[in-house]
Amino acid sequence: MPPLGRLLRTALILGAVPLLVQLVLLLTEEVSTRSAILAMLAVSLMALGLAWFWLVNMARLSAALQAAAADDDAFSRPFRTPRLPAVADIEEALTRLARSLQARSALVGRLRAADEAIVENLPDPLLVLAEDRSALRANRAARQLFGLKSGAGGDLAALLRHPALSGAVERALAEQTAQGTDLHLPVPVARELHAQAIPMNPPLADGGRVVVVLSDRSQMRAVERMRADFVANASHELRTPLASLIGFIETLRGPAQDDAEARERFLGIMATQGERMRMLIDDLLSLSRIELSEHQPPQGETDVAELLRAEAVALEPLAKGTRIEIAAPPSLLASPADTEQLAQVLRNLLENALRHGKTEGLVRASLTRVTGGGPRLPNRPGILLAISDDGPGIPREHIPRLTERFYRVEQGRGRGTGGTGLGLAIVKHIVNRHRGQLIIESEPGQGATFKVWLPGD
Ligand SMILES: Nc1ncnc2c1ncn2[C@@H]1O[C@H](COP(=O)(O)OP(=O)(O)O)[C@@H](O)[C@H]1O
Ligand SMILES: [Mg+2]
C-alpha cells in the first residue's frame, strides 16, 4: 500500500486539470451544480484509483531495479498487482538485464578464481609486493619455501631486506622493466635463489606494484658442483697410476737399467697400474653409456637365475676360497630387462661381497619372486635379488653415499684392493634404468646385504 501523502499528491496531479475544467464550467454555469459536483467526485475517485495503480507499479519497478543492483534473484517472484503494459515491458527488460549481469559477475568470479589458482599452483615461488615493498601475497610454493602458514612473515622479511633483492625491486620500479638478480640465503638452510622483479603498471587490483618470481637454484648448483667434483675425482684417480707408470719408466731408463731382477718386479707393478687405468676407463665409459640410456627403459627379458649362476662361476678365480652359495629357482625372468647390464649388476655386487667378505668365507646369493608390497619395495610383482657377505659391514652413515661416484668407506682400503669406486654408481644407474630399487642393509660387524628389486613375474 503506497503512503497516503504520496497517494494524495499523485492523485492531485492527475486530477488537477479535469477538476479545474469542472470548476470553470460550474462557475460559468454552463452545467448544472449537481452534475458538476458528481463529475468532480468521479474525477477525484478516478484520480485516486489511477494514483494508487501508478504508485504500486512504480514501487514494483523500483524493487526490481534494487534487486538487479544487489545481484539478487528475488525479482523473479510472480506479479500480484495488475500491471501497466509499459511497466510490464520495462520489468521484463530489467529481469533480463539482471540475469545477464548475474551471469557476467559469475564469469568474472570464475576467471578470477582461475587466475588465482594458476598463480597459487605455479611451481615457482611468487610474491606480490605493495607500494611500501611489503609482501601482499605469497603463493603456495613461496609459503613452502619460507615456511609460512599464510600471508607474510618469517624468513620472508629477511628475503625482502636482502640488498640484492631490494636493489632489483627498486630498479624495476624506477626503470619499469623486469630486473633479475641472484641471491644467496645462508639461513635456515643455505639456498641459492634467482629472483626476477617484474613491475606492474598499472598496479594490480589489490594494490600490487611488483611481482617477484623466485627460482630455487640450489639443486642446480649442487649438480654443477657434483660435475666439477666428478671431473676432478676422475682425473685424480687416473693421475695416480699414471704418475706411478711414469716414475717406473724413469727408473727403468736410469738407475735400474741393468738390474734384471728389479726390472722384472717393476714391470709387474706397471702391468697392474696399467690394468687399473684400463678398468677405470672401462667403468667411466660404461657409466656414461648407462647414464645416456637411463631415460629409455630396456627391452626384452632376462633369466636372472641363470645369469646369477653363470656370473658366480665366472668369478670363481677371484673367490680365493670363499664359497658362493646360491638359492634360486631354476629360472626367474626379469622384464623388461637388459641382460648385459644385469650381468654387470651381478658382477659388481658379487665382486664387492667377495672383496669385502672374510677370506675363505661365505657369500650368499638368493633370488625370489615377490608379489608386491613389503617394506621399502614397490607394490608390484617383481623379483628380489639379495647378496650377503660375512665381512665387516658398512657403518650406517656411509650407506646413503655408497652409490656416489668414487665414494669409498675407507679411502685407502678400496684403492688398495683394486676397486674403482664406480661399481655401485653403475649398479644404481642400471637399477634406475630398469625402474627397480637398490636397498643396502648392514649392521657393522655382521656383513652387508645388497638387495635389488626388479620388475618381472
Ligand atoms: N659388501 C660390502 N661390504 C662392505 N663395504 C662395501 C661392500 N660393498 C661396497 N662396499 C663399500 O662401498 C664402496 C663403494 O663400492 P663400489 O662402488 O663397488 O666401489 P669399489 O668396489 O670399486 O671400491 C667400497 O669402496 C666399499 O667401501
Ligand atoms: Mg665394487
Side-chain angles (χ1 to χ4, degrees), residues 324-341:
I324 303 180
E325 189 185 274
I326 296 178
S331 143
L332 203 49
L333 291 185
S335 77
D338 179 319
T339 308
E340 186 37 50
Q341 290 191 345

Side-chain angles (χ1 to χ4, degrees), residues 348 351-352 355 419-421 423-424:
N348 271 304
E351 241 177 55
N352 279 354
R355 189 181 302 151
T420 59
L424 289 177

